[in-house]
Amino acid sequence: MLELTLEGVTKKYGSRAAVNGISMKLTRGVYGLLGANGSGKTTLLRIICGILEATEGRILYDGTEVGKLGPEYRRILGYLPQDFGYYPEFTAKRFLLYLAALKAIPRRQAEEKAEELLKKVGLESDKGRKIKTFSGGMIRRLGIAQALLNDPEILILDEPTAGLDPKERIRFRNIISSLSRDRIIILSTHIVSDVEYIADEILLMKAGELLTTGDIDHMLERARGKVWECYVCPEDTEKYQARFSVSNLRNTEQGVRLRIVSDMRPLETAVPADPDLEDVYLYYFREEGEHD
């Protein structure tokens, strides 16, 4: 069995709750944790990793509270933080061997694992280069490799594609997808496309609370009937943007085509459109007062 359970997990700083009463059960697969910056995603991940202590609630791994597991729980965790620290003068392989030593992985096993992981993340031919010469994408891939050194059953990735170009983001997603068969992977991001193609389940988080969960189809169904398209005159565009949640705007020969997320038909000429995950995200994260 591989199961991670959160029961009423809360983290307060004074009277403010950065994470507020989150409960969920995770099994094998990729979980896309979506939310705006400041929604509490990083705080929640740091609690799951044991870096922060929850004010209330508990976390169980296969039915046992993680606090009682001690080092055993840390051995099954892999973590790539948002700000991934490294030694720029180290080569990629030396860096992995150094971290393996800190994790008490035997030298021979560490050598084999480092070679295996460098190949998996596409850095095999760059293992002798100093990290300071790496691109942002290469550094993030090295970050995945270090998180996998102990062959973790739970892999936590916090904003792993921040600052990457589209090609590197696609490469990164493919790597994550290939790792998901035997692990729980939690991928936190505010970039919808990072999880749209690989997440088995989406978790939407806002202001420290879990708003809703479900697979992609379930999420899209929730937004059905709430996405509209219409054409407006160019001079009216700003007026409609101020009034509605516009997920897309495009100039055409017929006028400006607006894609609007709204509970009600925004204009008489608007027609229903099939929702995508960005529409779902916008629907749940509209500003207060935009709920028509």
Side-chain angles (χ1 to χ4, degrees):
M1 182 173 70
L2 178 55
E3 188 175 273
L4 188 69
T5 304
L6 280 66
E7 297 181 348
V9 173
T10 297
K11 180 64 176 178
K12 292 183 178 179
Y13 295 97
S15 60
R16 184 181 72 88
V19 172
N20 190 17
I22 289 189
S23 298
M24 57 183 173
K25 185 175 291 186
L26 311 178
T27 56
R28 287 177 174 84
V30 179
Y31 294 83
L33 181 60
L34 281 175
N37 290 330
S39 61
K41 303 189 305 297
T42 293
T43 300
L44 177 62
L45 297 187
R46 288 168 67 86
I47 292 171
I48 292 173
C49 290
I51 298 170
L52 289 178
E53 186 175 345
T55 308
E56 301 171 15
R58 61 179 189 162
I59 299 175
L60 300 96
Y61 167 71
D62 285 352
T64 302
E65 287 194 48
V66 298
K68 297 178 181 178
L69 293 172
E72 180 60 30
Y73 180 62
R74 290 192 293 274
R75 276 196 288 271
I76 59 97
L77 277 174
Y79 179 43
L80 175 58
Q82 188 171 348
D83 298 315
F84 169 52
Y86 58 89
Y87 296 99
E89 295 295 331
F90 278 25
T91 65
K93 184 174 180 180
R94 182 187 174 197
F95 180 65
L96 291 185
L97 291 177
Y98 170 73
L99 291 181
L102 293 180
K103 295 183 180 185
I105 299 173
R107 177 73 185 196
R108 180 176 295 180
Q109 181 183 339
E111 284 274 356
E112 294 176 356
K113 196 66 178 177
E115 291 286 349
E116 172 193 329
L117 291 173
L118 287 166
K119 183 176 182 180
K120 181 182 288 288
V121 300
L123 293 175
E124 186 179 24
S125 61
D126 299 293
K127 63 184 179 183
R129 286 176 54 187
K130 290 186 177 181
I131 303 174
K132 68 180 181 181
T133 69
F134 281 12
S135 68
M138 294 169 74
I139 290 171
R140 300 310 281 180
R141 281 186 272 146
L142 183 62
I144 292 184
Q146 65 81 27
L148 292 169
L149 275 169
N150 55 328
D151 199 21
E153 295 183 357
I154 300 171
L155 182 60
I156 309 292
L157 307 169
D158 191 4
E159 298 286 353
T161 63
L164 301 190
D165 62 38
K167 184 177 179 181
E168 280 288 3
R169 294 223 317 264
I170 291 170
R171 183 202 291 262
F172 196 97
R173 293 201 304 261
N174 289 341
I175 291 171
I176 298 307
S177 186
S178 71
L179 296 171
S180 64
R181 182 175 300 175
D182 302 316
R183 295 178 174 86
I184 294 172
I185 299 178
I186 307 175
L187 193 163
S188 167
T189 184
H190 62 279
I191 303 173
V192 174
S193 60
D194 283 348
V195 298
E196 187 167 12
Y197 299 109
I198 63 170
D200 298 295
E201 187 161 349
I202 303 295
L203 316 170
L204 291 183
M205 191 170 178
K206 182 179 182 180
E209 298 185 353
L210 202 59
L211 293 182
T212 187
T213 67
D215 61 25
I216 297 291
D217 291 340
H218 179 72
M219 290 292 184
L220 295 181
E221 193 58 37
R222 288 193 173 193
R224 198 165 301 282
K226 306 178 190 302
V227 183
W228 312 83
E229 287 189 352
C230 58
Y231 291 89
V232 301
C233 298
E235 55 267 27
D236 292 333
T237 302
E238 288 189 13
K239 177 179 68 176
Y240 291 121
Q241 283 185 289
R243 184 178 173 188
F244 300 110
S245 295
V246 177
S247 63
N248 189 266
L249 178 156
R250 186 170 183 176
N251 290 299
T252 73
E253 292 182 358
Q254 297 103 305
V256 179
R257 187 177 70 193
L258 299 182
R259 187 176 177 91
I260 296 173
V261 178
S262 172
D263 290 309
M264 306 294 292
R265 187 187 300 269
L267 299 171
E268 287 186 7
T269 57
V271 296
D274 289 331
D276 58 28
L277 193 56
E278 282 193 346
D279 296 319
V280 174
Y281 182 92
L282 187 59
Y283 179 73
Y284 280 100
F285 292 90
R286 290 177 293 178
E287 297 295 328
E288 297 298 327
E290 290 186 351
H291 294 268
D292 311 317

